[in-house]
């Protein structure tokens, strides 16, 4: 479904990502792990069209999408929940969701809104609350729900559990598990490597802008030196 090859992305002269490659098959849950500053966010943002790579290619369902703007990619079925909750603070939770569903047909949008209300009961209670008044956990759920409103074929999430209270971390991992049970395709950056490896079909380890390992959770855990050095948590 997604093929990333030789992707290099620079901030000025500094290469934050060096010839990174990965693939995600339909229905797979793939994790992206590694220490702070390894380039995980840069990689997701380069795939999602928020950053323009200087070299390499991104192919989505056979189509070269390298450097295409994010709005095109949402239409093609690729959605990103960015690292920092970027919700429209002056709009209500419901309005945020409707915006997430602009590329979806009207009837489907109404159905999806219902589904989000059921999937995120915590959010359902805040439907008419401006998003700026939501707690960190609620805003995180809203950002994920908004991305789901576009009915993505591939959903990418950047650190969905970062900074959340333990009980909300569980909510996020339960959500990932339920999306996986639905057969959705996910690429997830997670600092909680242990839990991500439990859940993911496969994962990639990034360090200093390079993909240094790839494998199943069991394979990556089996490589103790790698696991301790690069993952650690
Ligand atoms: P974290 O878990 O801390 O978010 P990460 O693996 O997602 O880390 P990136 O945020 O992709 O890493 O950062 C990769 C490298 O690029 C780091 O050295 C970082 O300091 C640098 N970097 C990130 N954003 C910028 C920017 N806007 N300008 C310059 N350098 C940047």
């Amino acid at each position: 479904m997604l093929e990333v090859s030789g992707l290099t992305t620079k901030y000025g002269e500094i290469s934050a990502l060096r010839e990174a490659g990965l693939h995600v098959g339909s229905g797979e849950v793939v994790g992206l792990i590694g220490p702070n500053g390894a380039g995980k966010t840069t990689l997701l943002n380069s795939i999602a069209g928020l950053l323009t790579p200087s070299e390499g290619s991104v192919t989505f369902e056979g189509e070269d999408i390298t450097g295409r703007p994010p709005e095109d990619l949402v239409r093609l079925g690729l959605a990103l929940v960015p690292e920092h909750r970027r919700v429209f603070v002056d709009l209500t939770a419901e309005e945020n969701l409707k915006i997430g569903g602009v590329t979806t047909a009207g009837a489907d949008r109404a159905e999806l809104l219902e589904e989000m209300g059921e999937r995120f009961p915590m959010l359902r209670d805040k439907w008419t609350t401006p998003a700026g008044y939501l707690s960190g956990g609620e805003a995180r759920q809203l950002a994920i729900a908004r991305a789901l409103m576009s009915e993505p074929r591939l959903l990418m999430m950047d650190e969905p559990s970062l900074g959340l209270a333990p009980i909300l971390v569980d909510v996020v991992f339960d959500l990932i598990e339920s999306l996986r049970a639905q057969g959705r395709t996910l690429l997830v950056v997670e600092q909680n490597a242990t839990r991500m490896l439990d859940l993911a079909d496969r994962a990639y380890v990034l360090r200093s802008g390079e993909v240094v390992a790839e494998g199943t959770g069991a394979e990556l855990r089996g490589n103790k030196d790698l696991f301790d050095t690069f993952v650690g948590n």
Side-chain angles (χ1 to χ4, degrees):
M1 177 176 268
L2 179 75
E3 282 287 339
V4 174
S5 167
L7 212 62
T8 296
T9 301
K10 296 180 179 179
Y11 297 107
E13 290 297 299
I14 312 281
S15 295
L17 197 64
R18 288 194 215 101
E19 298 185 11
L22 60 79
H23 65 96
V24 181
S26 181
E28 264 196 312
V29 174
V30 175
L32 206 50
I33 56 182
N36 286 342
K40 305 180 298 293
T41 296
T42 304
L43 177 50
L44 279 200
N45 288 351
S46 301
I47 296 169
L50 297 173
L51 288 171
T52 307
S54 55
E55 283 166 47
S57 66
V58 183
T59 308
F60 181 60
E61 297 199 317
E63 189 169 339
D64 185 350
I65 58 160
T66 321
R68 295 269 291 271
E71 57 272 24
D72 281 11
L73 301 184
V74 171
R75 285 201 174 80
L76 287 174
L78 195 151
L80 169 70
V81 183
E83 183 172 19
H84 302 291
R85 53 180 179 137
R86 289 199 194 115
V87 291
F88 299 106
V89 291
D90 295 331
L91 302 182
T92 66
E94 185 181 11
E95 287 163 347
N96 267 277
L97 293 179
K98 284 182 175 165
I99 286 179
V102 285
T103 55
T104 316
D108 294 345
R109 206 181 313 153
E111 213 170 279
L112 277 166
L113 261 183
E114 276 302 308
E115 190 189 320
M116 293 309 143
E118 283 162 26
R119 198 187 266 283
F120 300 94
M122 200 186 273
L123 215 54
R124 185 73 189 87
D125 296 338
K126 302 283 173 77
W127 225 229
T128 55
T129 304
Y133 290 100
L134 298 179
S135 70
E138 290 160 353
R140 194 73 56 87
Q141 292 187 33
L142 180 59
I144 296 171
R146 192 179 56 184
L148 287 171
M149 287 292 295
S150 69
E151 295 202 290
R153 288 209 284 280
L154 170 63
L155 177 64
M156 302 195 292
M157 292 193 250
D158 195 349
E159 307 262 22
S161 77
L162 186 69
L164 294 180
I167 190 163
L168 291 171
V169 171
D170 289 345
V171 169
V172 166
F173 276 96
D174 287 349
L175 171 70
I176 296 174
E177 184 64 59
S178 77
L179 292 172
R180 168 208 183 77
Q182 282 186 328
R184 305 248 194 176
T185 310
L186 305 176
L187 177 59
V188 184
V189 166
E190 246 307 326
Q191 94 288 354
N192 194 332
T194 309
R195 285 188 78 165
M196 196 60 220
L197 289 180
D198 284 344
L199 205 118
D201 294 304
R202 288 184 300 114
Y204 291 86
V205 181
L206 249 82
R207 189 186 64 158
S208 304
E210 292 179 20
V211 174
V212 293
E214 181 267 333
T216 63
E219 285 164 351
L220 291 173
R221 272 179 216 276
N223 189 341
K224 198 171 174 332
D225 288 346
L226 173 105
F227 196 71
D228 288 349
T229 317
F230 303 152
V231 182
N233 54 356

